[in-house]
C-alpha cells in the first residue's frame, strides 16, 4: 500500500496534493470488495489535508470549522468515487467538487431566513466589496455608503440594499438573548422577547366604535338619552325611569331593544366596509 500511495514531494511539508495516480489505476481494476475499500480509504486519507485546507478558507463565516471539515470530506469522497483517470490529474477535478460542496452547504443549510439564490449572490458581492472598501480606508474604518458599494460592485443601489439586508439574514438571535441597548439602566437584564410589541386591544374598540356611530346618530332622542344616562352617567334603570317618568321595566325593554338595533346596524356596517 505504501508503494501505491506516495507524496509528490516528501520534503515539502506544505504539499497537500499527494500523487495517487497509481492508486486510482489500481482502483479501476478492482471490483467491490475489501481490497477496493482499503485502497479507496487510503486515497481519501491522503487527500484529507487538502480538503481541510479548502474548508479553512470559509472559517469565520458563521459555520463551525468542524462542520466545514465534514462537508469538505464528503465532497472529497464524492470526487474520489466519481473520478475517472481520463479526466486528467485528480486535483483539478477534486478542488472544484469540494469547493462546490462547501458553497452548497452555506447556501442551503446555514441561512436563518431562506432567501433566493440571486439575493445570496448579491450578499456575497456586497460583503466582499464592503470588506475591501473598509480595508482600503486610511485611519478609522467607516461604513461604505450605498453609492460606494454600487460603484465597487457594479450593482444597482436597490440590489446593494438587498445584499446588505441578506447579510443580516444569515444568522439569527434567540429571543431569550439579552438586549444590547446602550441604555443599561432601562434594559439591564431584559431579553429581546421583552421588547416585542403586542397588538393593542384598543384597535378592535376603534373599529367597533366607528361602526356603531351611524346607528347611534340615527336613534330617537329618548333612546339616545337613555343610553347616555345608562352607559356614560352610570345611572341605574330605576334612576333613569324616575327621571324620565317611566317604569324601570319600560326602561329595561327600551335599553334592550335599542342596544340590539345598534348592534345589528353596526355589524351590517362592518360587513359592508369589509
Amino acid at each position: 500500500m505504501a508503494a501505491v500511495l506516495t507524496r509528490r514531494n516528501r520534503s515539502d511539508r506544505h504539499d497537500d496534493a499527494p500523487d495517487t495516480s497509481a492508486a486510482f489505476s489500481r482502483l479501476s481494476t478492482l471490483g467491490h470488495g475489501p481490497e477496493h475499500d482499503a485502497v479507496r480509504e487510503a486515497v481519501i486519507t491522503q487527500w484529507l489535508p487538502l480538503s481541510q485546507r479548502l474548508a479553512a478558507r470559509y472559517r469565520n463565516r458563521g459555520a463551525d470549522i468542524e462542520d466545514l471539515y465534514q462537508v469538505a470530506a464528503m465532497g472529497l469522497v464524492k470526487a474520489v468515487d466519481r473520478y475517472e483517470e481520463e479526466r486528467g490529474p485528480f486535483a483539478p477535478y477534486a478542488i472544484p467538487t469540494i469547493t462546490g460542496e462547501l458553497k452548497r452547504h452555506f447556501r442551503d443549510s446555514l441561512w436563518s431566513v431562506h432567501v433566493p439564490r440571486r439575493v445570496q449572490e448579491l450578499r456575497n458581492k456586497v460583503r466582499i466589496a464592503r470588506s475591501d472598501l473598509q480595508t482600503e480606508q486610511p485611519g478609522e474604518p467607516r461604513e461604505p455608503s450605498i453609492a460606494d458599494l454600487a460603484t465597487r460592485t457594479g450593482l444597482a443601489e436597490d440590489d446593494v440594499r438587498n445584499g446588505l439586508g441578506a447579510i443580516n439574514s444569515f444568522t439569527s438571535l434567540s429571543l431569550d438573548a439579552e438586549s444590547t441597548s446602550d441604555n443599561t439602566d432601562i434594559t439591564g437584564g431584559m431579553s429581546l422577547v421583552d421588547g416585542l410589541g403586542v397588538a393593542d386591544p384598543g384597535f378592535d374598540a376603534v373599529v367597533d366604535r366607528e361602526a356603531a356611530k351611524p346607528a347611534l346618530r340615527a336613534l330617537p332622542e329618548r333612546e339616545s338619552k337613555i343610553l347616555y344616562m345608562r352607559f356614560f352617567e352610570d345611572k341605574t334603570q330605576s334612576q333613569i325611569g324616575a327621571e324620565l317618568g317611566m317604569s324601570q321595566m319600560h326602561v329595561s325593554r327600551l335599553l334592550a331593544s335599542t342596544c340590539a338595533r345598534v348592534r345589528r346596524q353596526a355589524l351590517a356596517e362592518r360587513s359592508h366596509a369589509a
Side-chain angles (χ1 to χ4, degrees):
M1 188 66 66
V4 174
L5 300 170
T6 59
R7 289 194 175 275
R8 185 175 297 147
N9 185 354
R10 291 183 180 275
S11 63
D12 183 2
R13 63 178 181 176
H14 299 292
D15 182 12
D16 53 8
D19 181 5
T20 52
S21 55
F24 278 115
S25 297
R26 180 90 172 275
L27 277 176
S28 64
T29 64
L30 296 173
H32 290 293
E35 186 177 1
H36 176 278
D37 293 343
V39 175
R40 173 178 175 271
E41 182 178 348
V43 170
I44 293 171
T45 301
Q46 286 280 339
W47 284 93
L48 272 178
L50 180 137
S51 73
Q52 292 176 348
R53 174 169 61 83
L54 295 175
R57 294 178 180 178
Y58 295 87
R59 67 168 67 245
N60 300 325
R61 296 192 187 182
D64 183 81
I65 188 62
E66 294 299 328
D67 290 341
L68 294 180
Y69 286 157
Q70 291 294 324
V71 172
M74 288 190 293
L76 172 60
V77 170
K78 289 182 179 180
V80 169
D81 290 341
R82 297 173 183 175
Y83 173 66
E84 298 173 358
E85 289 185 275
E86 296 78 19
R87 297 177 182 269
F90 179 66
Y93 173 73
I95 291 173
T97 303
I98 296 169
T99 302
E101 199 71 22
L102 288 163
K103 290 181 177 180
R104 189 177 302 110
H105 177 66
F106 276 89
R107 186 182 69 238
D108 298 339
S109 303
L110 295 178
W111 289 83
S112 297
V113 178
H114 179 73
V115 296
R117 176 180 290 190
R118 178 178 177 276
V119 178
Q120 295 182 28
E121 294 171 351
L122 293 177
R123 170 194 177 272
N124 291 333
K125 291 181 179 179
V126 171
R127 178 182 59 79
I128 293 171
R130 185 171 70 170
S131 176
D132 291 344
L133 288 171
Q134 289 175 333
T135 303
E136 294 168 5
Q137 292 170 6
E140 187 71 20
R142 62 175 180 83
E143 188 67 24
S145 67
I146 298 294
D148 291 339
L149 291 170
T151 300
R152 174 59 66 97
T153 59
L155 299 171
E157 291 191 2
D158 285 344
D159 287 338
V160 171
R161 293 187 183 92
N162 288 334
L164 288 171
I167 289 175
N168 296 325
S169 300
F170 192 75
T171 57
S172 61
L173 286 175
S174 167
L175 289 176
D176 294 324
E178 186 172 346
S179 174
T180 57
S181 172
D182 293 336
N183 194 341
T184 55
D185 292 338
I186 296 177
T187 62
M190 290 181 60
S191 63
L192 293 177
V193 71
D194 295 327
L196 292 180
V198 295
D200 190 330
F203 289 154
D204 290 335
V206 170
V207 175
D208 292 340
R209 184 166 59 247
E210 292 301 311
K213 277 183 178 180
L216 291 171
R217 292 194 185 104
L219 287 175
E221 182 179 354
R222 183 179 64 171
E223 281 80 351
S224 179
K225 187 171 184 178
I226 290 174
L227 287 182
Y228 184 82
M229 294 171 70
R230 178 69 184 92
F231 296 107
F232 289 88
E233 295 184 346
D234 201 27
K235 291 184 177 181
T236 65
Q237 295 179 7
S238 297
Q239 290 171 329
I240 296 171
E243 187 169 333
L244 297 181
M246 60 181 67
S247 68
Q248 181 267 331
M249 186 64 68
H250 193 189
V251 172
S252 177
R253 285 197 295 267
L254 286 173
L255 279 172
S257 62
T258 302
C259 289
R261 186 193 317 163
V262 172
R263 183 175 185 275
R264 285 195 303 271
Q265 294 182 15
L267 290 175
E269 185 73 21
R270 290 188 62 170
S271 176
H272 177 70

